[in-house]
Amino acid sequence: MLTIKTERLTLKPLGMKYLETVHEYASDLENTKYMLFLPNESIEETKEFLQMVDKEWALDAPSFYEFAIIYENQQVGAVSLYLNEASYGEMGWIINKKYWRQGIAYEAAAALMDYSIRELHIKDFIAHCDAENVASYKIMEKLGMSRTGTSGGRKNKSSEVEGYEYQYELHI
Protein backbone atom coordinates (compact mmCIF):
# COMPACT_ATOMS: atom_id res chain seq x y z
CA MET A 1 0.00 0.00 0.00
CA LEU A 2 1.34 3.38 -1.01
CA THR A 3 2.07 5.49 2.06
CA ILE A 4 3.65 8.94 2.29
CA LYS A 5 4.99 10.07 5.65
CA THR A 6 5.88 13.51 6.95
CA GLU A 7 7.01 14.64 10.37
CA ARG A 8 3.43 14.69 11.70
CA LEU A 9 1.29 13.04 9.03
CA THR A 10 0.74 9.81 7.17
CA LEU A 11 -0.96 9.86 3.78
CA LYS A 12 -2.73 6.60 2.91
CA PRO A 13 -5.03 5.69 0.04
CA LEU A 14 -8.49 7.11 0.71
CA GLY A 15 -11.36 4.67 0.44
CA MET A 16 -14.42 3.09 2.03
CA LYS A 17 -12.65 2.36 5.30
CA TYR A 18 -12.83 6.11 5.99
CA LEU A 19 -16.56 6.48 5.26
CA GLU A 20 -17.57 7.91 8.65
CA THR A 21 -14.71 10.38 9.01
CA VAL A 22 -14.95 11.57 5.40
CA HIS A 23 -18.69 12.02 5.69
CA GLU A 24 -18.24 14.10 8.85
CA TYR A 25 -16.41 16.87 6.99
CA ALA A 26 -17.83 16.27 3.48
CA SER A 27 -21.40 16.85 4.70
CA ASP A 28 -20.64 19.84 6.95
CA LEU A 29 -21.82 23.14 5.47
CA GLU A 30 -19.16 25.28 7.16
CA ASN A 31 -16.42 22.83 6.24
CA THR A 32 -17.43 22.77 2.56
CA LYS A 33 -18.54 26.38 2.10
CA TYR A 34 -16.06 27.04 -0.73
CA MET A 35 -16.28 23.66 -2.47
CA LEU A 36 -17.74 23.07 -5.95
CA PHE A 37 -19.01 19.52 -5.38
CA LEU A 38 -19.68 19.50 -1.64
CA PRO A 39 -21.42 19.28 0.79
CA ASN A 40 -22.65 15.75 0.36
CA GLU A 41 -26.32 15.56 1.21
CA SER A 42 -26.31 11.90 2.30
CA ILE A 43 -23.91 9.21 3.45
CA GLU A 44 -24.80 7.41 0.19
CA GLU A 45 -23.24 10.28 -1.77
CA THR A 46 -20.05 9.96 0.28
CA LYS A 47 -20.12 6.18 -0.16
CA GLU A 48 -20.41 6.46 -3.97
CA PHE A 49 -17.41 8.80 -4.09
CA LEU A 50 -15.29 6.50 -1.90
CA GLN A 51 -16.24 3.45 -3.97
CA MET A 52 -15.04 5.29 -7.07
CA VAL A 53 -11.78 6.12 -5.26
CA ASP A 54 -11.30 2.47 -4.22
CA LYS A 55 -11.74 1.39 -7.88
CA GLU A 56 -9.18 3.94 -9.04
CA TRP A 57 -6.62 2.78 -6.45
CA ALA A 58 -7.03 -0.79 -7.80
CA LEU A 59 -5.76 0.27 -11.24
CA ASP A 60 -2.14 -0.23 -12.26
CA ALA A 61 -1.92 3.40 -13.40
CA PRO A 62 -4.51 5.54 -11.60
CA SER A 63 -5.62 8.78 -13.24
CA PHE A 64 -5.95 10.35 -9.80
CA TYR A 65 -4.61 9.86 -6.31
CA GLU A 66 -6.86 10.57 -3.30
CA PHE A 67 -5.08 10.25 0.02
CA ALA A 68 -6.49 10.19 3.53
CA ILE A 69 -4.57 12.52 5.82
CA ILE A 70 -3.85 10.77 9.11
CA TYR A 71 -2.88 13.00 12.04
CA GLU A 72 -2.53 11.67 15.59
CA ASN A 73 -4.07 8.36 14.42
CA GLN A 74 -7.19 10.11 13.08
CA GLN A 75 -8.28 10.67 9.49
CA VAL A 76 -8.65 14.46 9.44
CA GLY A 77 -8.94 15.25 5.75
CA ALA A 78 -7.82 14.38 2.25
CA VAL A 79 -5.33 15.58 -0.33
CA SER A 80 -5.50 14.73 -4.01
CA LEU A 81 -3.68 14.85 -7.30
CA TYR A 82 -5.65 14.45 -10.55
CA LEU A 83 -3.53 13.75 -13.61
CA ASN A 84 -4.23 15.46 -16.91
CA GLU A 85 -3.29 14.33 -20.41
CA ALA A 86 -1.24 17.51 -20.74
CA SER A 87 1.11 16.06 -18.07
CA TYR A 88 0.16 18.31 -15.22
CA GLY A 89 -1.32 17.44 -11.86
CA GLU A 90 -4.26 19.24 -10.35
CA MET A 91 -4.05 19.41 -6.59
CA GLY A 92 -6.77 19.76 -3.99
CA TRP A 93 -7.34 19.29 -0.27
CA ILE A 94 -9.93 19.40 2.47
CA ILE A 95 -9.42 19.36 6.23
CA ASN A 96 -12.01 18.69 8.92
CA LYS A 97 -12.69 22.09 10.53
CA LYS A 98 -11.67 20.67 13.93
CA TYR A 99 -8.09 20.64 12.59
CA TRP A 100 -7.97 23.97 10.76
CA ARG A 101 -5.06 26.39 11.29
CA GLN A 102 -2.50 23.73 12.20
CA GLY A 103 -0.59 23.58 8.91
CA ILE A 104 -1.95 20.13 8.08
CA ALA A 105 -3.21 20.94 4.58
CA TYR A 106 0.09 22.58 3.62
CA GLU A 107 2.17 19.71 5.03
CA ALA A 108 0.06 17.10 3.22
CA ALA A 109 0.02 19.02 -0.08
CA ALA A 110 3.79 19.61 0.05
CA ALA A 111 4.39 15.90 0.69
CA LEU A 112 2.13 14.88 -2.19
CA MET A 113 3.76 17.43 -4.48
CA ASP A 114 7.22 16.11 -3.57
CA TYR A 115 6.10 12.50 -4.17
CA SER A 116 4.53 13.52 -7.51
CA ILE A 117 7.76 15.16 -8.68
CA ARG A 118 9.99 12.25 -7.60
CA GLU A 119 7.83 9.23 -8.45
CA LEU A 120 5.32 10.38 -11.07
CA HIS A 121 7.68 12.87 -12.77
CA ILE A 122 5.07 15.63 -12.67
CA LYS A 123 6.62 19.01 -13.44
CA ASP A 124 3.51 21.19 -13.71
CA PHE A 125 0.90 21.69 -11.02
CA ILE A 126 -2.37 23.57 -11.01
CA ALA A 127 -4.92 24.30 -8.30
CA HIS A 128 -8.18 26.23 -8.11
CA CYS A 129 -10.10 27.76 -5.25
CA ASP A 130 -12.95 30.12 -4.51
CA ALA A 131 -11.60 33.67 -4.48
CA GLU A 132 -12.95 34.07 -0.94
CA ASN A 133 -11.07 31.03 0.34
CA VAL A 134 -8.05 32.88 1.70
CA ALA A 135 -6.69 29.88 3.63
CA SER A 136 -6.60 27.75 0.49
CA TYR A 137 -4.86 30.26 -1.75
CA LYS A 138 -2.34 31.04 1.00
CA ILE A 139 -1.43 27.33 0.96
CA MET A 140 -1.01 27.49 -2.82
CA GLU A 141 1.32 30.46 -2.47
CA LYS A 142 3.30 28.75 0.31
CA LEU A 143 3.71 25.75 -2.02
CA GLY A 144 5.40 28.11 -4.50
CA MET A 145 2.42 28.42 -6.83
CA SER A 146 1.57 31.71 -8.53
CA ARG A 147 -1.86 33.06 -9.34
CA THR A 148 -2.31 32.79 -13.10
CA GLY A 149 -5.95 33.58 -13.50
CA THR A 150 -9.24 34.79 -12.11
CA SER A 151 -12.54 33.76 -13.61
CA GLY A 152 -16.17 34.38 -12.84
CA GLY A 153 -19.06 32.00 -12.94
CA ARG A 154 -17.98 29.80 -10.03
CA LYS A 155 -21.01 28.38 -8.28
CA ASN A 156 -20.32 26.39 -5.17
CA LYS A 157 -22.79 23.62 -4.40
CA SER A 158 -24.03 25.24 -1.19
CA SER A 159 -24.42 28.74 -2.65
CA GLU A 160 -27.04 30.39 -4.79
CA VAL A 161 -24.61 33.12 -5.82
CA GLU A 162 -21.98 32.96 -8.55
CA GLY A 163 -18.53 33.97 -7.40
CA TYR A 164 -14.97 34.09 -8.62
CA GLU A 165 -12.30 31.45 -8.83
CA TYR A 166 -8.53 31.78 -8.63
CA GLN A 167 -6.19 29.54 -10.58
CA TYR A 168 -2.67 28.90 -9.35
CA GLU A 169 0.18 27.14 -11.14
CA LEU A 170 3.69 25.92 -10.50
CA HIS A 171 6.10 24.83 -13.23
CA ILE A 172 9.21 23.00 -12.04
Side-chain angles (χ1 to χ4, degrees):
M1 173 175 36
L2 176 57
T3 301
I4 301 170
K5 291 187 177 280
T6 72
E7 189 175 318
R8 301 182 301 158
L9 309 174
T10 303
L11 307 182
K12 295 181 176 183
L14 190 66
M16 281 299 294
K17 73 187 254 181
Y18 299 110
L19 177 62
E20 296 298 325
T21 50
V22 169
H23 190 66
E24 181 181 334
Y25 60 76
S27 62
D28 183 279
L29 194 57
E30 181 184 3
N31 217 113
T32 61
K33 177 179 178 179
Y34 298 119
M35 307 295 277
L36 282 174
F37 304 111
L38 295 174
N40 286 344
E41 295 173 12
S42 69
I43 199 153
E44 277 303 311
E45 212 174 336
T46 305
K47 187 176 181 180
E48 287 173 21
F49 170 73
L50 293 174
Q51 287 171 333
M52 177 191 67
V53 171
D54 273 336
K55 286 179 184 170
E56 195 67 25
W57 275 114
L59 299 175
D60 289 337
S63 62
F64 64 85
Y65 295 80
E66 286 273 357
F67 285 94
I69 301 170
I70 311 299
Y71 173 67
E72 296 180 344
N73 297 315
Q74 288 281 79
Q75 193 259 334
V76 301
V79 62
S80 63
L81 179 81
Y82 281 69
L83 302 175
N84 180 286
E85 305 82 41
S87 77
Y88 68 80
E90 181 164 355
M91 298 196 65
W93 46 81
I94 185 170
I95 303 295
N96 185 314
K97 67 185 180 188
K98 297 176 190 173
Y99 298 92
W100 285 354
R101 296 183 230 3
Q102 297 181 41
I104 292 170
Y106 168 75
E107 189 174 331
L112 179 53
M113 187 178 274
D114 181 61
Y115 170 83
S116 301
I117 293 166
R118 284 185 296 101
E119 302 297 328
L120 304 175
H121 310 291
I122 303 295
K123 302 267 189 252
D124 300 300
F125 296 89
I126 190 169
H128 299 90
C129 71
D130 188 291
E132 293 183 22
N133 192 346
V134 177
S136 197
Y137 70 71
K138 291 289 185 194
I139 291 168
M140 294 172 196
E141 291 168 358
K142 192 172 179 182
L143 289 167
M145 301 177 104
S146 299
R147 189 179 304 168
T148 58
T150 303
S151 58
R154 181 181 174 104
K155 187 162 180 320
N156 297 332
K157 186 174 177 183
S158 64
S159 177
E160 296 300 317
V161 184
E162 282 191 7
Y164 291 89
E165 175 175 280
Y166 290 150
Q167 176 174 298
Y168 279 76
E169 296 181 39
L170 175 65
H171 305 284
I172 309 288

